Amino acid sequence: MTTPHFPGPPLALTMGEPAGIGGEITLKIWANKKQNQVPPFFIIDDPSRLRMLARRLKIDIPIKEIRSPEAADKTFDEALPVLALPMEVKTKPGKPTTDTAKAVIYSIESAVKLVQDGRAGGVVTNPIAKAVLSEAGFKFPGHTEFLAHLSGIEKDPIMMLASPELRVALATIHVSLKNAIEQLNKEKIIHVGKVCFESLRTDFAIAKPKIAVAGLNPHAGEKGSMGKEEIEVIIPAIKALQDAGINALGPYPSDTMFTATARKEYDVALCMYHDQGLIPLKTLGIDKGVNITLGLPFVRTSPDHGTAFDIAGSGDASEDSLVAALKLAAEMYIARNEMPDMK
Amino acid sequence: MTTPHFPGPPLALTMGEPAGIGGEITLKIWANKKQNQVPPFFIIDDPSRLRMLARRLKIDIPIKEIRSPEAADKTFDEALPVLALPMEVKTKPGKPTTDTAKAVIYSIESAVKLVQDGRAGGVVTNPIAKAVLSEAGFKFPGHTEFLAHLSGIEKDPIMMLASPELRVALATIHVSLKNAIEQLNKEKIIHVGKVCFESLRTDFAIAKPKIAVAGLNPHAGEKGSMGKEEIEVIIPAIKALQDAGINALGPYPSDTMFTATARKEYDVALCMYHDQGLIPLKTLGIDKGVNITLGLPFVRTSPDHGTAFDIAGSGDASEDSLVAALKLAAEMYIARNEMPDMK
């Protein structure tokens, strides 16, 4: 068996933007599945377009349409299992079109439905092109927000990114930097801190997680001389987290908190805005990064890269991040279900 | 000789915050000067306090008071040359006091005067504690702004940071993130781009510098869906730079532009705010980073770290960044003076 230790139902992998690299990295993962040691998964896609893509890239693997996710486990050893979309997907690598937007969205919706029904162990998403979906009328800024909507959760989900070197969680996500500053408040930081704390215990089996909270301003505001948000918002939030028994520390100047020495001192960096967390994570190595959505009622991960239209169709895209996303989803499923009392 | 190839006058090193690590890393550099291969320099400090510090740290080196910078070259081989401040400096490591603020400022002012008079090859500054100076009435947010004031230049100087892996230049510096966004405009980015371009040619001897301009917002605004500054400010600035014959490219999403692969494509990253540039630089390795002020009429560098009060007096501080700052100042002096026609 490919992954003898994964006891859950197979993972649901979405198609993602079909003009991007999602298809080809999925094919490559199955082609090298022994080496990659990924848990069983199925992709929700158009089998014909995957077969065409495999021919184009000369990735000679069997691709099998399955009727139900339950068939994926058995199928996975002999072929890439594809749960077929109810529509054709026609596109050229690197040339996205709004014609495929419905299929992209349908693939995500199906994956969520299956995991909610306990028929998939987790949702792993291939990258989407937000600009293309937005043009087609999709009103969510990204996967995270759409998944929250589909789950019907009341509080915002949290975007965490994890690589072998670093975990970061974001207090604000896909908004302009100006809006991120406006949106920042004590309650938001407390919410992110609490969700992170629970997830590190439940999904990552870290008994006493340490949370390093970043400042917003240069030098974390240098005692208020370069911005007041640390004093007015961030420090009160850290105190509230500490009062709730959570090991939150900071605020730390964000330029020095990601050095090799500093990173040893915490389990997750709680960052105030998108690039504050993503710059260090991707600078340290883009290939092994995984995007995780916390606060959803199910496990969701994705690779930490985009559609990469510039290299789509060339076969050059690295599958490492998607491999890491699949493995981490399985590990999180195991941690959650082996330790139900840890919450 | 220590640095047979440095043809300029000795470098002027400032005292910096005396309760910080500036003194001890200076002593360590001279103690290991053969290994460090630094150019001749003198420090503008209180010789007595340096002798006390040397005893405390058991760094057994000769410290010699000099009367003029011209004596530094000859003195440097046998002792650490100190140009004495006209006041005593009494302080304890890690315990800063506003009593020393005048001496800290005097040391910087003297260094600038000497380099303006051609008696020093460049100004290298030890870290200061902005909060301490501010409490003592100092009205500049940092070295860069103070040096600009002392030089009487009309346009803002540019803060560039350089390490073996990366060079970054900042469009905004020591202001809150909110103010940084407000201050950002087309003219500022064009100014930074032009100054960088000239400096890379003049001070770094790069014939055709490539400038990668960062976006401000996540995903560089993703076509305006997450912020308009790219469309309204940054792209017009890049076009204006290109029209001026400068190889400026972007705007690039700041989370992916600092990967090892991406960094090969440019000579400097032009960043919109302090942490956008300093996070990747310091995450990649804090010890070898150098801070450079461009747009001044003289060479100025400094180590890329702060006063480190937490370890001051322990002797644990690494002198690597100050070594790199001294060496780079000498290299810049040589490049400027060997190639006066490159402008």
Side-chain angles (χ1 to χ4, degrees):
Chain A
M1 268 182 64
T2 313
T3 52
H5 300 302
F6 186 59
L11 301 171
L13 176 63
T14 66
M15 174 175 74
E17 166 57 54
I21 59 172
E24 62 193 82
I25 58 178
T26 305
L27 297 171
K28 283 166 90 171
I29 287 175
W30 195 91
N32 299 315
K33 70 183 194 304
K34 274 191 189 163
Q35 194 188 315
N36 287 326
Q37 282 289 306
V38 286
F41 67 87
F42 59 93
I43 184 165
I44 306 170
D45 207 318
D46 173 358
S48 307
R49 85 126 193 144
L50 286 176
R51 287 196 186 100
M52 275 177 59
L53 188 65
R55 269 199 300 277
R56 181 196 167 108
L57 294 169
K58 299 192 173 63
I59 301 177
D60 185 25
I61 62 163
I63 293 172
K64 190 175 172 186
E65 186 175 337
I66 54 171
R67 299 282 162 184
S68 77
E70 287 73 20
D73 258 333
K74 205 178 158 191
T75 304
F76 195 80
D77 279 345
E78 21 182 290
L80 174 67
V82 184
L83 197 65
L85 290 165
M87 64 276 273
E88 279 194 321
V89 176
K90 290 193 175 171
T91 186
K92 284 179 189 165
K95 308 280 179 199
T97 153
T98 53
D99 295 349
T100 59
K102 273 193 184 163
V104 172
I105 294 164
Y106 191 97
S107 180
I108 301 168
E109 288 171 338
S110 301
V112 170
K113 183 75 176 63
L114 291 169
V115 76
Q116 281 174 332
D117 292 347
R119 301 175 72 190
V123 175
V124 182
T125 57
N126 265 307
I128 54 177
K130 285 150 206 166
V132 178
L133 292 182
S134 170
E135 212 182 310
F138 185 70
K139 64 178 189 290
F140 301 94
H143 266 123
T144 306
E145 296 83 354
F146 186 46
L147 294 167
H149 167 76
L150 293 176
S151 312
I153 58 167
E154 279 175 28
K155 288 213 168 189
D156 289 340
I158 309 303
M159 185 167 164
M160 182 189 270
L161 294 112
S163 76
E165 288 88 9
L166 177 66
R167 285 188 206 97
V168 299
L170 305 180
T172 61
I173 316 183
H174 290 119
V175 291
S176 72
L177 190 57
K178 198 175 183 176
N179 285 350
I181 297 171
E182 281 164 13
Q183 287 180 5
L184 209 61
N185 60 48
K186 185 180 156 188
E187 288 65 39
K188 201 181 273 277
I189 298 169
I190 295 171
H191 171 59
V192 178
K194 287 186 173 174
V195 172
C196 276
F197 184 75
E198 286 309 322
S199 172
L200 288 172
R201 288 160 55 100
T202 311
D203 298 333
F204 291 86
I206 298 169
K208 291 180 182 175
K210 282 187 206 167
I211 301 176
V213 182
L216 173 71
N217 295 298
H219 309 186
E222 194 138 347
K223 297 184 179 176
S225 66
M226 289 188 273
K228 306 283 183 207
E229 289 86 352
E230 283 77 10
I231 294 167
E232 293 171 2
V233 177
I234 304 175
I235 292 170
I238 292 171
K239 287 195 174 142
L241 286 167
Q242 290 170 345
D243 289 345
I246 291 172
N247 194 358
L249 296 164
Y252 296 107
S254 62
D255 57 346
T256 51
M257 71 183 282
F258 302 108
T259 61
T261 311
R263 294 199 306 273
K264 284 179 196 150
E265 301 299 318
Y266 57 84
D267 298 300
V268 65
L270 200 171
C271 295
M272 298 299 115
Y273 56 91
H274 183 277
D275 288 350
Q276 190 179 49
L278 268 69
I279 289 175
L281 192 101
K282 295 194 175 182
T283 300
L284 286 168
I286 199 165
D287 287 347
K288 306 275 181 181
V290 179
N291 184 340
I292 307 150
T293 311
L294 308 181
L296 293 174
F298 51 83
V299 170
R300 183 259 168 157
T301 65
S302 74
D304 175 31
H305 56 65
T307 51
F309 288 134
D310 53 331
I311 57 165
S314 70
D316 288 343
S318 163
E319 71 271 35
D320 290 350
S321 183
L322 183 52
V323 167
L326 288 160
K327 285 181 174 176
L328 184 60
E331 284 163 20
M332 288 173 69
Y333 180 92
I334 290 168
R336 274 196 189 196
N337 288 283
E338 284 190 346
M339 305 177 200
D341 301 330
M342 273 201 68
K343 262 191 187 171
Chain B
M1 269 181 65
T2 312
T3 51
H5 298 302
F6 185 60
L11 301 171
L13 175 63
T14 66
M15 175 176 72
E17 166 56 54
I21 58 172
E24 61 193 82
I25 57 178
T26 304
L27 297 171
K28 284 167 89 171
I29 287 175
W30 195 91
N32 301 314
K33 69 183 195 304
K34 273 192 188 163
Q35 194 187 315
N36 287 325
Q37 282 289 306
V38 287
F41 65 87
F42 59 93
I43 183 165
I44 305 170
D45 206 320
D46 173 358
S48 306
R49 83 127 194 144
L50 286 175
R51 287 197 186 98
M52 276 177 59
L53 188 66
R55 270 198 299 277
R56 181 196 166 107
L57 294 169
K58 301 192 172 64
I59 300 177
D60 185 26
I61 62 164
I63 293 173
K64 188 174 174 188
E65 186 176 335
I66 54 171
R67 299 280 162 186
S68 76
E70 287 73 21
D73 258 333
K74 204 178 161 193
T75 304
F76 195 79
D77 279 346
E78 13 173 303
L80 175 66
V82 184
L83 196 64
L85 289 166
M87 63 276 273
E88 277 196 322
V89 176
K90 288 192 177 173
T91 186
K92 284 179 187 166
K95 310 279 179 199
T97 156
T98 51
D99 295 347
T100 58
K102 271 193 187 165
V104 172
I105 295 164
Y106 191 97
S107 180
I108 301 168
E109 288 170 337
S110 302
V112 170
K113 183 77 175 63
L114 291 170
V115 75
Q116 281 175 331
D117 292 347
R119 301 175 70 190
V123 175
V124 181
T125 58
N126 265 308
I128 53 177
K130 286 152 207 165
V132 178
L133 292 183
S134 171
E135 213 182 311
F138 186 69
K139 62 179 192 289
F140 301 93
H143 265 123
T144 306
E145 297 83 354
F146 185 45
L147 294 169
H149 166 76
L150 293 176
S151 311
I153 58 167
E154 281 175 29
K155 289 213 166 189
D156 288 341
I158 309 303
M159 186 169 164
M160 182 189 270
L161 293 112
S163 76
E165 288 87 10
L166 177 66
R167 283 187 206 98
V168 300
L170 306 179
T172 62
I173 315 181
H174 291 120
V175 291
S176 72
L177 191 56
K178 200 174 182 176
N179 285 351
I181 298 171
E182 281 164 12
Q183 287 181 5
L184 209 62
N185 61 47
K186 185 180 156 187
E187 287 63 40
K188 201 181 274 277
I189 299 168
I190 294 172
H191 171 60
V192 179
K194 286 185 175 176
V195 172
C196 276
F197 184 76
E198 287 309 321
S199 172
L200 289 171
R201 288 160 55 100
T202 310
D203 298 332
F204 292 86
I206 298 169
K208 291 180 182 176
K210 282 186 203 167
I211 300 176
V213 182
L216 173 72
N217 295 297
H219 308 187
E222 194 139 349
K223 295 184 181 175
S225 65
M226 290 187 273
K228 306 284 184 207
E229 288 86 352
E230 283 78 9
I231 294 167
E232 292 171 1
V233 178
I234 304 174
I235 293 171
I238 294 172
K239 286 196 176 141
L241 286 168
Q242 290 169 344
D243 289 346
I246 291 171
N247 195 359
L249 296 163
Y252 296 106
S254 61
D255 58 345
T256 51
M257 71 183 280
F258 302 108
T259 62
T261 311
R263 294 199 306 273
K264 285 180 196 151
E265 302 298 318
Y266 56 83
D267 298 299
V268 65
L270 199 170
C271 295
M272 298 300 116
Y273 55 93
H274 183 277
D275 287 350
Q276 190 180 49
L278 268 69
I279 290 174
L281 192 100
K282 295 194 175 181
T283 300
L284 286 169
I286 201 167
D287 286 347
K288 307 274 182 183
V290 179
N291 185 340
I292 307 150
T293 311
L294 308 181
L296 293 174
F298 50 82
V299 169
R300 183 258 169 160
T301 65
S302 75
D304 175 30
H305 55 66
T307 51
F309 289 134
D310 53 331
I311 55 166
S314 69
D316 288 344
S318 164
E319 72 270 35
D320 289 351
S321 184
L322 183 53
V323 167
L326 288 161
K327 284 182 175 174
L328 185 59
E331 285 163 19
M332 287 172 70
Y333 180 92
I334 290 168
R336 274 195 188 196
N337 289 282
E338 284 189 345
M339 306 178 199
D341 301 330
M342 272 201 72
K343 263 193 186 168

